[in-house]
Amino acid sequence: MRIPLSTPAALLITGTVGSGKSTTAQAIGGLLRKDAIPHAVIDLDALRNAWPSPADDPFHERLMLANLGAVARNHVVAGAVRLVVAGVLEDLAQRPLYEQAVGMPLSVCRLPLDLADVQARLHRRHRDDLEALNWHLQRSGELDAVLDAAEVADVEEGVKAEQTPAQVAQAVVRAVGWTS
């Protein structure tokens, strides 16, 4: 299904840590810019980055959703018709909260990637921080299993280690009907 480029729409790129969510979102932003489509790229990790987290909300989900709502509204007021969101959605029951926060129809695309490739990326990313590396290596497998079970995505766009961010972005926009 093709979504007209003038129709407001949001896309959440989800996947395990190290799968390329933020990089893909930025690359999609580049494609939209090239096509002169007013848009915003929003990284959910930045919207939840606060310490400490409440015991009943270790990943600051409530804070992130409140911030997402405010940021999305501000971008729409500024003229954005497309929102590209990078983050983790672990629970199908939470999906309506994300759509409500962005205030427009939301598509979800998961980026599955072989865990060996994820681990190689994490080793590069956290080569100077052993504590962060160990946490992310542990979390990558856990989260991948959670996402397999949760089935939150409308589409999955498998990523290969040799693909460029631009290639992944092109595949994702085709898969969700955002092609020009």
Side-chain angles (χ1 to χ4, degrees), residues 12-167:
L12 173 63
I13 308 292
T14 194
T16 193
V17 295
S19 62
K21 300 176 297 293
S22 298
T23 300
T24 300
Q26 289 295 330
I28 292 171
L31 295 174
L32 294 171
R33 186 171 35 259
K34 191 165 74 171
D35 287 341
I37 308 298
H39 69 281
V41 176
I42 304 168
D43 193 319
L44 297 183
D45 284 343
L47 300 182
R48 71 173 82 241
N49 190 2
W51 184 89
S53 299
D56 67 336
D57 189 9
F59 294 108
H60 265 309
E61 195 83 9
R62 291 186 301 267
L63 174 65
M64 180 276 299
L65 284 167
N67 286 339
L68 177 58
V71 169
R73 279 188 302 280
N74 290 338
H75 282 299
V76 169
V77 167
V81 294
R82 294 296 162 103
L83 300 177
V84 184
V85 181
V88 176
L89 174 58
E90 296 183 37
D91 182 351
L92 191 58
Q94 295 288 99
R95 184 175 169 154
L97 299 175
Y98 283 67
E99 190 160 33
Q100 181 181 2
V102 296
M104 60 183 66
L106 176 70
S107 298
V108 179
C109 179
R110 180 177 173 200
L111 300 178
L113 177 64
D114 184 87
L115 283 178
D117 293 327
V118 167
Q119 291 172 353
R121 288 178 176 190
L122 293 172
H123 276 279
R124 287 190 300 274
R125 183 195 301 172
H126 299 290
R127 66 181 163 266
D128 297 328
D129 186 346
L130 186 58
E131 184 178 343
L133 173 62
N134 289 333
W135 186 90
H136 283 88
L137 288 172
Q138 174 69 32
R139 183 67 176 146
S140 65
E142 287 173 3
L143 186 53
D144 198 52
V146 166
L147 293 172
D148 281 344
E151 298 182 347
V152 298
D154 299 308
V155 296
E156 291 192 1
E157 191 55 51
V159 178
K160 302 293 182 209
E162 64 274 5
Q163 284 180 293
T164 67
Q167 290 169 326

Side-chain angles (χ1 to χ4, degrees), residues 164-175:
T164 67
Q167 290 169 326
V168 176
Q170 284 283 359
V172 169
V173 296
R174 268 194 308 276

